[in-house]
Amino acid sequence: MLDQEARVEDAVFRVGEVIAVHGRTVKVRVDKAKNGSHLLYRGELLRNVSVGGYLKLSKGFSELIGRVDGEEIAAAIGQDYQSQRDRVDRVLTVSLVGLVQDGRFRRGVRELPLVGNECFLLTEAEFNQIHSFVSADDVPLTLGRLAAEVEQQVKVGTNALFASHVGIFGNTGSGKSYTLAKIYHELLAHYGSSLAFRAHARVVLIDFNGEYVNESTAGPGEPSSSVIADNDIKKQYILSTRGRGDRLPLPKAAIEDPVIWQVLLDATEKTQAPFLARALRNRFWERQVTDSDRLAKVIASIIHRAIRSSDATIERTMIVQFLEEIRSCLSNSASEDLDEYIDDLRAHLHYHSQARNWYYEDERGNRTYSDDEDGINDLTYGRLDSIDIDTDLLDGIDQIRLRIVLQFYDDVFKGFANREHIGPIIKRLENRSPSIKRVLEVSDEPLLPRPLTVISLRGVNLDMRKVIPLLICRHLYDEKKVGASQAGFLNIVIDEAHNILSRVSARESEAWKDYRLETFEEIIKEGRKFGVFMTIASQRPHDISETIISQLHNYFLHRLVNNLDIQAVERAVSYLDRVSFESLPILPTGSCVLSGVSTQVPLIVDIDPLPASYEPNNRTLTLTDRWLPFDQQGPPGPPDPWYVADDDPFDDDHDP
């Protein structure tokens, strides 16, 4: 009885036979009776074979699985035509994707079919085998449903997805940010209550546009926003170089990295970069800036050396400028006496060009010349000893800036450095220090105190937007390499990754670009050994380094329209079929092609919805709701802060 049922099932599910084998590509001729769109079997309608579907190719005791890439018609050969339908054969182009072994589907081609092998539709059990991706020792997470079979849930294994590098690509508005929020929401919702997870797992999300930070206010009756995860497992830093914002706590060793300051200050490779390295690695200056008495003495010694020097290139403005730089570094750490001292030197310190020496002329006209050792000592050491300087009030950034300034003027006054070559870096240091201090602080507090940390760069200027992710990722990766346990999990998530992983940039030198890319390429190539993984999301995969894209293990591909972006993905993802690639430009919002080590075959998935409070802050503005006719409008709300309306926009004489 069972054999009879099996024969009936084979007869119903058989669709044709193999007529040609060209490597992984197989041609299958469809039986004439199976050319309809559906089959009727035991009172149920079954979808017949079509492009994008799967076939089982029976070769002896082996069952090979193939995916239909295309179909065509060909003239029938060697037949007596009984009807018009018999004049042509329907021929399928099938790509082999794997085989069924020991009751499980396994990806990969180990053998090829023979001409004449029978081909069958998949049973429900076989279809589920192909779409069952979670191993027995893994934990499933539900991400969505198959676009073609909405009743079929798509579950992936936690290990297969998160112990890997992930790429999420798609044009703006395609659902890319939503997918990123979904996969990490599922992870944190499942494991957020685990004490072991809270202790040993960290996810840091670099958010360039502020899409994943909690909204500060919610409307009446609306739940407060907690994007991706609840606040008890989430920490967020909202950085700003324009006003008040959070500051990233980084250890002293990370802040003192010379390479970071070379990048921050656009240091030239041949002259300015070596100078910065020398200044930050010289522990002499570190000892001076942490002790008030020592600092006063070293400032006095530099001025003393400049006044006693016979170098005609040293101008009075340089000595005054040195003190002004020191005053700027000290900020509130020095008394007003220092300002009076600077004003006094500006008014009374002079250089005699013919005698080639300095002299100080007081209010009564009395002069103290540079060869008067006692007089110059009183002018420098004596005066500065009476000025109150409290180095305990200096923060870490000011200390580093002070060390660089002291090294520069010490080198210049000694004749060891060319002012024209190194001077521009001191000006950039002065201009950029306020921005640096607004976003960074030297602290022993943990940077990642909770399982999820979101760092928003929305309010950060262009000079800092590339440096901060590099600084954070380099610091965290070095920590993992040096002493972190292999059991610790770190996932670095970079949204809008083309901002930091781009191969082309007109705003930076080649040396800096190479260093930036090499840092992230090392993380993505070697990070797995240390428990460090990356997730990158971008609108422009073409702009991202090919090395980085090719090292990804799992891909979520949303709608991509630009041919260069599609080609970049095609070059990197070797196991995507032609149908999946051709569907990329027409994918609807919220659907993506999922491919990689977490799935056996490429899938088109509709991502499941998130609860409203966990959605990213990237909703498209609905203009028609804001631009209602006058008779439908309520009380006018406040104008947008970036736009102030003109009372009469057509009045040319109006001065805004």
Side-chain angles (χ1 to χ4, degrees), residues 403-418:
R403 288 159 62 180
I404 295 173
V405 169
L406 289 171
Q407 180 76 64
F408 171 72
Y409 284 98
D410 187 61
D411 285 354
V412 169
F413 292 156
K414 286 180 178 177
F416 293 167
N418 188 308

Side-chain angles (χ1 to χ4, degrees), residues 184-193 228-229 233:
Y184 283 96
H185 171 74
E186 291 298 321
L187 173 71
L188 295 166
H190 191 91
Y191 287 100
S193 60
I228 297 181
I233 58 174

Side-chain angles (χ1 to χ4, degrees), residues 481-493:
K481 284 198 303 183
V482 172
S485 167
Q486 290 289 325
F489 167 79
L490 173 63
N491 199 315
I492 298 171
V493 185

